[in-house]
Amino acid sequence: MSDEGAQQGDPLGPLLFCLSSLKLARSMVSEFNCWYLDDGSLGGNVEDLLLDLDIVRRVGPTFGLHLNEDKTEIVTNDASVVKSIRSVTPNVRHVLSGDAMLLGASIGDDSTVDNALNQKLHEFQCLASRLTSLSAHDALFLLKNCFSMPKLLYTLRCSPCYRSTILLEYDVTIKKTLQTILNINLNDMVWGQATLPVSNGGLGIRLATDLALPAFLSSLAGSVDLSLMLLPSRLHSVGGTQDTFYISAGIEWQSRCGMAVPDAASIGAQKTWDSPQVLKKFDEVFAAAQTQSGRARIIAAAAPHSGDFLNVLPCSAVGTRLDDTSLRIAVALRLGAVICSPHTCVCGEQVDTSGTHGLACRKSAGRHMRHNAVNDLIKRALASAEIPSLLEPNSLSRDDGKRPDGLTVMPWSNGRCLIWDFTCPDTLAASHINRAVTGPGLVADDAEQRKTLKYRSLSPHYLFTPIAVETLGAIGQEALTFFMDLGRRIATATDEPRSLQFLLQRLSVTIQRGNAACVLGTVQSSNGWDELF
Ligand SMILES: [Zn+2]
């Protein structure tokens, strides 16, 4: 319909028209009508359609809506039907049933689905080629949150796309783009982990072939009640969860996951169908890890908040954009990809292609940079919560004469000021590896216990909290409790409910930036053209 009412500043026009039309159509003529604002679909036999069209033409103008014949389509394979409809609307466009689209979703046969997916693929290939002109962090953010799955999900939810081979091409394009953006060689093992959600140790770059089934099944199951309301009663026995597409998709899902279809109460949620697939893939990735360090890395990557740097909005002004090299190293450490050529560290030890020696190397300059950056972050976060603090307070020292990292000037709780001390144990260090494979965050928890022991001689007038965050991002229990409390206080002071989320993301970015400096610190510095640049 052309929408003159809305153009004249009457936004209620189309809605009133729809309700009115629906009521008229339902009570007077055909059994198969549905409207969304000023877009309508009429169904039924030719006589009903002609009566409906007559109503639309007569009633529409009273609401400022007129039938736009140039945008009207008749979907049928019967030429006599087309002839009848054209006798009253000569300009109507004829669409064969196999090519039908409704509100952007293909409702025809497999070739229509393929056509819709091909169009999506070409759009994505065009966008992906332009992403390489951006900085790596910006490009990764856009690929993950805008261009890869988000642009395809509507199509996946509307049609049984899981049967189309074009999804494989879509996934190949995602892989090539990611490889170019990150400058990382994504072999099968690395790629398998990368395509897991962030909370399961991946990068959150999901595959079209993985999401097609959960998206379609949940969409169909979630709209059963509505579709049964729209369908005429004679079609109820073949609609909703009795739909042949739903049944065959359910069989395919069972064969992939090796389990029964979920309970009816939760089948409308995509997560219900997706989670078993994700867990199966995670188990496969974990089983493929050949070494203790590989297993420890995957466990740490799946720890809560260890991948927060992947969810951050890159912005230089607030310090959340990682440079290309730091992002490459952060992602490669998470996925166990090749970071560098084997070389001799400045400390004399050999560095292998994983580059992880730098994380634990005593001579690596990045350790101090990371330590100072995290303490500065905590100090500034406390300031945001209106609690001033000091770094390395002179007035306090423990048994061995060393000072804690920070002290709040104002009381933290129960009239006592807070002392904190930060440490960043390396998840993959030889001394930690056997502990790291037993569970996420345990290396950090152990480090916190050691810190607490060291500072037990401090005055009881102070509260002490150890803050341990592993190199691979897992946060110790005491640190997490502290950050959650701090995030809540910042939210109260600033009225920003996402304060904790932002705080943990900044922490994650700071740790990864420090890791990159540690890895780069293993290479002997050589003179550049500083005099020129
Ligand atoms: Zn070294």
Side-chain angles (χ1 to χ4, degrees):
M1 303 288 294
S2 67
D3 180 5
E4 289 182 7
Q7 285 164 11
Q8 290 162 12
D10 178 15
L12 284 179
L15 182 60
L16 289 172
F17 177 77
C18 290
L19 295 173
S20 167
S21 304
L22 201 59
K23 190 174 165 191
L24 277 171
R26 283 200 158 177
S27 60
M28 293 172 65
V29 278
S30 81
E31 56 181 352
F32 197 33
N33 290 275
C34 61
W35 289 82
Y36 178 72
L37 297 182
D38 61 340
D39 281 321
S41 302
L42 310 175
N45 60 43
V46 183
E47 290 73 29
D48 286 347
L49 279 179
L50 291 171
L51 281 170
D52 279 359
L53 271 174
D54 184 50
I55 290 173
V56 168
R57 282 201 154 128
R58 278 190 294 108
V59 178
T62 64
F63 296 96
L65 292 168
H66 298 267
L67 184 68
N68 185 346
E69 282 190 30
D70 293 335
K71 290 169 74 177
T72 308
E73 296 174 342
I74 173 75
V75 181
T76 178
N77 291 340
D78 188 339
S80 65
V81 172
V82 180
K83 192 176 174 187
S84 301
I85 299 295
R86 278 188 174 155
S87 66
V88 293
T89 51
N91 295 333
V92 71
R93 200 160 70 88
H94 178 210
V95 177
L96 291 171
S97 302
D99 300 332
M101 303 279 289
L102 183 63
L103 295 174
S106 55
I107 55 172
D109 54 23
D110 281 353
S111 67
T112 331
V113 174
D114 280 352
N115 288 341
L117 288 175
N118 256 324
Q119 192 184 341
K120 289 284 176 191
L121 176 65
H122 289 139
E123 286 171 7
F124 176 47
Q125 284 170 335
C126 177
L127 288 168
S129 67
R130 294 171 186 175
L131 276 180
T132 53
S133 307
L134 301 176
S135 80
H137 203 170
D138 292 345
L140 178 66
F141 183 86
L142 288 172
L143 179 71
K144 175 172 171 284
N145 298 299
C146 306
F147 294 163
S148 56
M149 278 309 105
K151 282 204 175 290
L152 187 66
L153 206 54
Y154 176 74
T155 309
L156 297 184
R157 287 178 72 83
C158 294
S159 313
C161 302
Y162 67 92
R163 298 183 296 193
S164 174
T165 53
I166 295 169
L167 294 188
L168 293 171
E169 288 183 57
Y170 206 90
D171 290 347
V172 169
T173 309
I174 294 175
K175 184 179 177 181
K176 282 182 182 169
T177 310
L178 192 65
Q179 201 158 248
T180 309
I181 289 172
L182 294 174
N183 188 14
I184 288 176
N185 178 27
L186 299 170
N187 62 34
D188 288 348
M189 271 186 67
V190 173
W191 180 232
Q193 188 185 338
T195 56
L196 287 167
V198 173
S199 57
N200 294 88
L203 300 184
I205 305 275
R206 304 299 307 281
L207 293 181
T209 44
D210 285 348
L211 279 182
L213 260 180
F216 178 66
L217 282 163
S218 59
S219 174
L220 207 155
S223 58
V224 164
D225 292 342
L226 186 60
S227 63
L228 290 182
M229 281 170 64
L230 292 168
L231 285 173
S233 53
R234 66 184 166 80
L235 294 177
H236 281 198
S237 60
V238 293
T241 51
Q242 304 303 313
D243 184 280
T244 51
F245 286 115
Y246 180 79
I247 293 170
S248 54
I251 292 169
E252 174 68 21
W253 184 86
Q254 287 181 63
S255 77
R256 285 192 197 179
C257 296
M259 59 191 290
V261 169
D263 292 338
S266 59
I267 54 175
Q270 188 170 311
K271 194 174 182 183
T272 302
W273 300 95
D274 189 32
S275 292
Q277 286 193 160
V278 168
L279 293 177
K280 188 166 183 253
K281 193 168 190 179
F282 177 84
D283 289 343
E284 288 168 3
V285 168
F286 190 72
Q290 303 287 323
T291 58
Q292 284 284 76
S293 68
R295 287 185 276 272
R297 175 179 52 73
I298 294 168
I299 289 171
H305 306 295
S306 71
D308 279 359
F309 71 98
L310 293 162
N311 297 326
V312 77
L313 180 70
C315 176
S316 299
V318 291
T320 54
R321 178 185 275 115
L322 288 166
D323 63 78
D324 292 4
T325 305
S326 298
L327 182 72
R328 183 178 71 80
I329 292 173
V331 170
L333 284 173
R334 186 173 174 82
L335 302 178
V338 170
I339 287 184
C340 56
S341 302
H343 59 277
T344 305
C345 176
V346 289
C347 73
E349 286 192 35
Q350 279 301 306
V351 183
D352 64 13
T353 56
S354 73
T356 52
H357 164 77
L359 301 179
C361 175
R362 287 274 156 198
K363 284 204 168 183
S364 181
R367 293 161 60 88
H368 302 293
M369 185 276 265
R370 182 177 56 204
H371 193 87
N372 295 339
V374 172
N375 280 317
D376 185 56
L377 182 146
I378 294 169
K379 186 174 188 288
R380 293 177 67 174
L382 284 166
S384 296
E386 295 170 356
I387 301 171
S389 60
L390 300 169
L391 293 180
E392 302 199 3
N394 287 321
S395 55
L396 294 165
S397 59
R398 62 185 198 207
D399 293 348
D400 58 5
K402 289 193 175 175
R403 286 173 293 182
D405 287 334
L407 163 74
T408 62
V409 177
M410 296 295 161
W412 177 255
S413 75
N414 294 311
R416 293 193 291 172
C417 293
L418 179 93
I419 294 168
W420 79 86
D421 205 50
F422 167 73
T423 183
C424 185
D426 178 23
T427 317
L428 304 177
S431 53
H432 296 151
I433 201 100
N434 289 332
R435 182 66 169 147
V437 292
T438 56
L442 294 182
V443 173
D445 288 346
D446 289 355
E448 286 182 345
Q449 284 176 16
R450 288 194 296 274
K451 283 273 179 203
T452 305
L453 214 58
K454 276 183 184 173
Y455 284 96
R456 67 184 184 279
S457 62
L458 279 176
S459 163
H461 297 302
Y462 296 101
L463 279 173
F464 174 74
T465 186
I467 297 172
V469 185
E470 294 177 25
T471 49
L472 292 194
I475 303 177
Q477 282 301 321
E478 298 235 28
L480 192 57
T481 305
F482 167 71
F483 283 124
M484 288 177 78
D485 194 358
L486 181 53
R488 185 182 53 76
R489 291 176 192 227
I490 298 173
T492 305
T494 62
D495 220 13
E496 171 52 72
R498 294 168 296 174
S499 296
L500 173 63
Q501 188 186 336
F502 292 157
L503 174 62
L504 292 175
Q505 286 179 354
R506 291 186 67 110
L507 175 71
S508 183
V509 166
T510 307
I511 295 288
Q512 295 306 325
R513 199 174 272 138
N515 285 347
C518 287
V519 171
L520 293 170
T522 63
V523 187
Q524 299 276 1
S525 63
S526 58
N527 292 332
W529 275 340
D530 292 345
E531 66 278 20
L532 285 179
F533 306 112

